[in-house]
């Protein structure tokens, strides 16, 4: 199966850390991505992780991958009001030849001032 | 420049109209994609073009007709749409359709309303 699941909503206070979680079912996933979508806009690629990595850090963003549990998370340090958006995780499975992304349902992050 | 542009930004059309959505990128990418996104849902893949050839059609109804005139342009021709086709249509591109990280860059989308 290729279902990718996320919790629907997360609310945090400005300055706190946010952790957005994602679970996927296809163990053949090669790359996993995090995208951000602000209201009425397209998707912005935030970061990605290769399936043979456990962690990747990029400024305020930390991605953790637990391949055994098929669990992916995105941690945003020092969350700002500008981080309010919907966050999608996505997986790509190379060996199917699809080369396309399967998106999770999206998590709406609300940052309270 | 990591920009993908889409026109128009908004489109309202009747069920008997014919219209086209346009997408352009100048990053030298050789793979381009159309996605459909309904409100509060994730994007769903419609079509993939790789080196200007259609490589994936996700069982999309024939009232949607994609076209890739050259490596920078991607069109989506619309004809006899239904109100349930109202959605945000997103275009994306990636360096190539092959192996590797293959980051997809998305345009801002065209908000389509079918009346």
């Amino acid at each position: 199966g290729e279902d990718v699941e996320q919790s629907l909503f997360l609310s945090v206070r400005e300055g706190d850390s946010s952790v957005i979680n994602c679970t996927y079912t296809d163990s053949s996933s090669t790359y996993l991505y995090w995208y951000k979508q602000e209201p009425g806009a397209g998707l912005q690629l935030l970061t990605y992780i290769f399936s043979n990595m456990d962690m990747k850090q990029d400024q305020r963003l930390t991605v953790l991958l637990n391949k055994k549990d098929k669990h992916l998370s995105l941690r945003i340090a020092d969350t700002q009001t500008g981080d309010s958006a919907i966050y999608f995780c996505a997986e790509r499975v190379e060996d199917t030849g699809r080369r396309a992304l399967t998106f999770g349902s999206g998590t709406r992050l609300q940052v309270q001032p | 420049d990591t920009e993908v542009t889409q026109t128009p930004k908004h489109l309202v059309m009747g069920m008997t109209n014919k219209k086209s959505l346009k997408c352009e990128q100048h990053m030298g990418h050789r793979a381009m994609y159309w996605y459909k996104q309904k409100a509060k849902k994730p994007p769903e893949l419609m079509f993939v073009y790789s080196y200007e050839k259609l490589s994936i059609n996700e069982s999309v109804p024939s009232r949607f007709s994609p076209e890739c005139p050259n490596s920078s342009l991607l069109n989506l021709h619309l004809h006899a749409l239904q109100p349930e086709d109202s959605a945000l249509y997103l275009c994306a591109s990636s360096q190539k359709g092959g192996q590797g990280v293959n980051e997809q860059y998305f345009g801002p989308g065209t908000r389509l309303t079918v009346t």
Side-chain angles (χ1 to χ4, degrees):
Chain A
E2 297 176 347
D3 290 341
V4 182
E5 294 184 356
Q6 300 178 238
S7 52
L8 287 180
F9 184 75
L10 175 66
S11 180
V12 301
R13 290 201 176 279
E14 195 172 17
D16 289 349
S17 291
S18 308
V19 179
I20 302 170
N21 294 303
C22 171
T23 57
Y24 58 98
T25 58
D26 196 326
S27 58
S28 303
S29 294
T30 311
Y31 289 94
L32 295 132
Y33 306 80
W34 283 103
Y35 282 86
K36 174 184 179 183
Q37 187 175 33
E38 296 186 50
L43 277 74
Q44 176 193 354
L45 177 63
L46 292 177
T47 188
Y48 64 88
I49 189 166
F50 187 43
S51 57
N52 69 352
M53 297 168 68
D54 299 324
M55 185 183 90
K56 181 178 180 181
Q57 187 153 2
D58 185 359
Q59 299 182 334
R60 292 191 298 124
L61 305 179
T62 303
V63 179
L64 295 177
L65 176 61
N66 180 331
K67 203 171 177 185
K68 176 173 163 290
D69 294 338
K70 300 190 188 69
H71 183 262
L72 181 74
S73 68
L74 174 70
R75 179 177 179 269
I76 306 173
D78 187 25
T79 314
Q80 302 297 307
T81 54
D83 295 324
S84 294
I86 300 176
Y87 290 79
F88 292 97
C89 63
E91 63 173 351
R92 188 164 70 88
V93 181
E94 282 206 358
D95 62 4
T96 63
R98 285 174 53 85
R99 316 287 192 253
L101 299 175
T102 300
F103 286 89
S105 49
T107 298
R108 180 178 296 278
L109 174 63
Q110 182 178 70
V111 182
Q112 312 272 12
Chain B
D1 180 10
T2 56
E3 191 179 25
V4 176
T5 58
Q6 290 186 243
T7 55
K9 204 166 179 173
H10 300 276
L11 178 62
V12 179
M13 61 185 289
M15 290 189 283
T16 57
N17 291 159
K18 280 186 185 181
K19 296 285 185 186
S20 297
L21 309 185
K22 296 187 184 303
C23 174
E24 192 167 1
Q25 56 87 15
H26 294 288
M27 295 179 276
H29 288 176
R30 302 310 299 270
M32 296 185 78
Y33 311 77
W34 279 115
Y35 288 85
K36 174 183 177 179
Q37 187 179 25
K38 300 283 275 183
K40 299 189 193 306
K41 296 288 186 186
E44 292 177 352
L45 182 68
M46 299 174 74
F47 303 104
V48 180
Y49 272 83
S50 182
Y51 294 88
E52 294 117 73
K53 287 188 170 35
L54 183 65
S55 61
I56 294 176
N57 176 342
E58 289 287 332
S59 303
V60 179
S62 60
R63 57 186 185 268
F64 295 92
S65 174
E67 179 198 17
C68 190
N70 61 54
S71 60
S72 300
L73 292 174
L74 184 67
N75 298 322
L76 185 63
H77 303 299
L78 313 172
H79 174 53
L81 294 194
Q82 304 295 311
E84 60 264 29
D85 296 321
S86 299
L88 181 68
Y89 287 84
L90 294 163
C91 172
S93 70
S94 63
Q95 192 165 24
K96 54 184 177 176
Q99 296 184 345
V101 173
N102 200 31
E103 300 111 309
Q104 289 185 26
Y105 294 91
F106 282 78
T110 293
R111 174 82 50 196
L112 174 69
T113 303
V114 182
T115 60

